[in-house]
Amino acid sequence: VTLLREVRMFTAMGFAVPHAIQQMAVQANKFYQSGVALKQVANVYNAMGKDIIPCTMAMIQASARHFEDTITAKGSGALTWSNEADTEIFIEKLRKASTMLTDDNRRLHKLHADIGVLVLDLFKIDLLRSKDRWVGRVRQIREIMARSRFEKQEAWALHWDWQIYKALEHQY
C-alpha cells in the first residue's frame, strides 16, 4: 500500500521512478485486492474462536480442519504470489472454506437457541399435570439434535442433558 501510494505520488510530482520499481508497483497493485480478501478471511477466522459455543467445538471440527487445510494448502504445490490465477483460485477456495465454517457455526447457534427455548418451556410445564407435554418437549429436543446431522455431539448432548436434568429437578 505504501509502495503504491509513494509511486503514484512521485509520478504525479513529475519525478522519474525507476522501471524496476514501477514493475513492482504494478505487481503490488494486482495483489492488493487479494491481500484485502485474505485480511477479511483472517479476521473471520480470528473472531471465530470467541463465537463458537464451547460444547459445540467438536461438532464443527471437520469444517475447521477443512478450513485450516485450505489455509496451509495441504495436498497442493507451493503457493506463490507470482501467479495471479493461482492466487485467485486459492482465495476462492479459502472463501468457500470460511463460508462453510461460518455457516456451520451459525446453524449450531440457531439450533442451540431453539433447544434453549424448549428447555425453558420444560421449567414452565407442570410435570405432574402435563407429563405428556413435558416428555414431548424432551422428544422434540432429541429430534432437533438428531436432525442436525452434526457428528461428535457428545459434549453438546451432555450439556442439554444437564439442562433437562435441572428442569426435572425444578419440578420436584
Side-chain angles (χ1 to χ4, degrees):
V1 176
T2 306
L3 174 68
L4 293 172
R5 189 179 322 129
E6 289 179 359
V7 167
R8 261 188 257 128
M9 187 170 51
F10 284 133
T11 304
M13 293 168 62
F15 288 105
V17 178
H19 183 68
I21 293 176
Q22 286 179 353
Q23 284 181 323
M24 285 174 39
V26 167
Q27 187 170 6
N29 194 32
K30 286 180 186 176
F31 292 112
Y32 176 73
Q33 293 301 321
S34 300
V36 170
L38 288 173
K39 184 176 180 181
Q40 290 170 343
V41 170
N43 286 338
V44 166
Y45 182 72
N46 291 336
M48 184 65 64
K50 296 177 212 156
D51 195 36
I52 296 174
I53 301 168
C55 64
T56 64
M57 279 188 186
M59 296 167 66
I60 61 170
Q61 183 178 9
S63 297
R65 184 152 308 174
H66 173 67
F67 182 73
E68 288 178 1
D69 288 348
T70 304
I71 287 174
T72 58
K74 261 192 181 168
S76 64
L79 179 69
T80 63
W81 288 95
S82 60
N83 188 340
E84 190 175 349
D86 286 348
T87 304
E88 286 302 317
I89 290 169
F90 173 72
I91 289 173
E92 189 55 35
K93 285 181 186 176
L94 207 52
R95 280 184 177 148
K96 285 180 183 176
S98 173
T99 301
M100 186 173 85
L101 178 60
T102 304
D103 289 349
D104 282 353
N105 193 43
R106 284 183 184 147
R107 198 162 57 102
L108 273 172
H109 270 273
K110 173 144 181 27
L111 292 171
H112 200 76
D114 291 347
I115 292 173
V117 168
L118 292 172
V119 169
L120 284 176
D121 280 349
L122 292 176
F123 280 92
K124 298 173 189 170
I125 298 171
D126 186 357
L127 181 59
L128 293 176
R129 293 190 183 127
S130 303
K131 178 183 176 188
D132 293 338
R133 229 172 107 211
W134 206 90
V135 171
R137 288 287 192 274
V138 173
R139 192 173 297 117
Q140 274 183 295
I141 292 169
R142 300 285 181 232
E143 288 171 2
I144 288 172
M145 294 174 85
R147 282 188 312 226
S148 73
R149 296 188 322 256
F150 282 101
E151 296 176 358
K152 300 180 181 178
Q153 292 187 11
E154 293 81 15
W156 196 45
L158 183 64
H159 168 78
W160 287 117
D161 285 347
W162 273 107
Q163 304 316 310
I164 293 169
Y165 173 76
K166 289 176 190 175
L168 181 63
E169 193 176 58
H170 175 75
Q171 297 293 327
Y172 291 104

